[in-house]
Amino acid sequence: MKRITTMMVTTVALLASTMLVHAQGELNIYNWGNYTSPEMIKKFEDEYKVKVTITDYDSNDTALAKVRQGGSGFDMVVPSQNYIPIWISEGLLLETDPGKMENFKHVAQKWADPDFDPGRKYTVPWAMGVVGTVVNTDVYKGDINTWGIIFDTPAELKGKVNVVPEMTDVIDAAVLYNGGKKCTGDLAILKKVRDTLVKAKPNWVAMEYGTIQKMGSGDFAASSDWNGSALRQRLANPKIHFGYPKEGFVNWSDNLAVLKDAKNPENAKLFQNFMMDPKNAGMNSGFHRYANGIDGSDAYMPADMKGAPEIDVPAEFASLGVPSMTCPPDVQALYTKIWTELQK
């Protein structure tokens, strides 16, 4: 009897200890800027007594380079799907088995077993969208559904165009504009891509990420951009519209992962499960204005997202989307070479 009592006390103590580990401490998230709902973070902090710190990055390459150095101090990161196989292959992510978590039942079937993370061993959905153009139609009245806005800039927009400097997005767009396929290794196509970019650059005013603010202020009249960003811009100024390039555009997703050297892995797992709850995913989407891969989350999104042309791809453009994917290393090296030349 004494032995049973002792075991019970020990079990209770262990459970209490485990709960404390799960319900207090810190969580350090490394994420794209302007992409995390403060309200949603506060809810997590209040619920689990965990202090969350968000540190911003501005590109997939920036995040990957930082974490590769080691000792980043971050627990979580939100890479795009075409980068996730790189993170996994380099041993940078912790296998957390989200597929076994309580809230995984809410993940949409389409996103439950993606090619970039088979079986969802490492990641959970954060957001998804497309890459296209955004144009102030007070400044330009022509067709906005073309990469020509960026690569063969109309006279009205010269010196007023921005390019969001995410390497893969820009080069993919130029590949599609030149009739190629994503991740092509065709040197003739890639030469056209290089020439297109070098020729177009003098017509751009900037290569920056801050499109929401600068499109709103009129510093930019057009930009390459992501659809959620475009929705935020249109809500502030109804003359700003998102274009779906007729040459093709990339469908992408960003996904929440735990770093292999995370200092707070249990809190990170809690947050992965938390983000698969429809209420929390919907709250987050209401801030960043992108869709996500969680069934039922749309019920918790703002009404102005329902049926928004930036979120629901119009039927006439739906077939033009191509999935984001990881390019072979030799192709990635060619992309990097072109990108390096463009930065000169």
Side-chain angles (χ1 to χ4, degrees):
M1 182 70 176
K2 181 179 178 182
R3 179 172 180 270
I4 295 173
T5 303
T6 302
M7 288 178 64
M8 289 177 66
V9 170
T10 303
T11 301
V12 170
L14 285 171
L15 285 172
S17 174
T18 302
M19 288 176 68
L20 286 172
V21 170
H22 282 245
Q24 67 180 12
E26 300 179 349
L27 181 63
N28 296 294
I29 303 174
Y30 195 30
N31 199 358
W32 299 82
N34 205 8
Y35 204 33
T36 309
S37 164
E39 182 184 6
M40 180 270 296
I41 291 296
K42 185 178 186 304
K43 180 181 178 184
F44 179 80
E45 289 180 322
D46 291 346
E47 188 168 334
Y48 294 104
K49 310 306 177 189
V50 171
K51 174 61 179 174
V52 178
T53 300
I54 308 288
T55 302
D56 295 347
Y57 57 80
D58 59 7
S59 73
N60 277 296
D61 290 302
T62 297
L64 186 57
K66 176 69 173 177
V67 175
R68 274 172 170 163
Q69 293 172 4
S72 69
F74 303 126
D75 299 307
M76 310 193 80
V77 70
V78 190
S80 297
Q81 67 183 62
N82 56 316
Y83 275 74
I84 286 172
I86 300 172
W87 287 80
I88 294 173
S89 67
E90 294 189 13
L92 298 173
L93 300 184
L94 182 68
E95 188 171 331
T96 55
D97 275 331
K100 297 178 181 178
M101 294 180 181
E102 178 186 0
N103 284 331
F104 188 77
K105 61 190 176 186
H106 300 299
V107 174
Q109 184 176 1
K110 176 182 177 182
W111 296 102
D113 187 25
D115 291 342
F116 57 82
D117 182 10
R120 284 287 184 185
K121 297 293 185 181
Y122 298 90
T123 68
V124 303
W126 181 267
M128 63 190 64
V130 303
V131 187
T133 62
V134 61
V135 179
N136 186 325
T137 56
D138 260 352
V139 179
Y140 180 65
K141 308 294 186 184
D143 182 14
I144 68 170
N145 296 303
T146 173
W147 286 120
I149 295 291
I150 308 300
F151 302 128
D152 191 12
T153 305
E156 301 97 311
L157 293 173
K158 287 183 178 179
K160 303 173 183 177
V161 170
N162 176 66
V163 171
V164 174
E166 178 67 19
M167 179 185 74
T168 305
D169 288 351
V170 176
I171 295 181
D172 282 344
V175 167
L176 294 168
Y177 186 65
N178 282 284
K181 295 183 178 181
K182 180 172 169 44
C183 291
T184 182
D186 187 324
L187 295 180
I189 290 291
L190 292 176
K191 183 180 185 303
K192 289 181 181 179
V193 166
R194 178 262 179 201
D195 293 345
T196 294
L197 291 169
V198 170
K199 182 181 178 182
K201 188 177 179 181
N203 295 322
W204 306 339
V205 67
M207 294 181 71
E208 297 181 11
Y209 282 88
T211 54
I212 295 173
Q213 296 80 9
K214 292 196 172 183
M215 282 293 294
S217 66
D219 291 341
F220 303 153
S223 183
S224 61
D225 214 341
W226 301 299
N227 57 316
S229 171
L231 173 56
R232 293 169 79 170
Q233 294 167 43
R234 178 175 62 79
L235 292 174
N237 179 353
K239 294 297 184 179
I240 296 176
H241 296 281
F242 186 68
Y244 291 90
K246 58 192 174 188
E247 300 87 4
F249 52 85
V250 173
N251 299 313
W252 55 266
S253 72
D254 292 337
N255 299 266
L256 182 66
V258 181
L259 295 179
K260 187 71 171 286
D261 61 356
K263 303 298 183 186
N264 304 287
E266 297 307 314
N267 289 340
K269 292 175 187 177
L270 272 181
F271 192 68
Q272 280 191 317
N273 189 58
F274 179 85
M275 287 310 306
M276 291 187 286
D277 182 298
K279 291 183 180 179
N280 302 327
M283 185 186 301
N284 203 35
S285 284
F287 175 80
H288 58 54
R289 297 295 183 151
Y290 294 94
N292 60 68
I294 306 301
D295 280 340
S297 62
D298 54 344
Y300 302 98
M301 296 180 194
D304 55 22
M305 289 185 69
K306 296 174 182 177
E310 297 90 350
I311 304 302
D312 296 336
V313 181
E316 63 265 37
F317 302 117
S319 64
L320 302 177
V322 297
S324 178
M325 65 185 77
T326 307
C327 297
D330 59 329
V331 173
Q332 192 70 20
L334 292 170
Y335 273 32
T336 300
K337 186 176 180 180
I338 293 170
W339 189 248
T340 300
E341 186 170 353
L342 186 66
Q343 306 308 302
K344 294 178 181 178

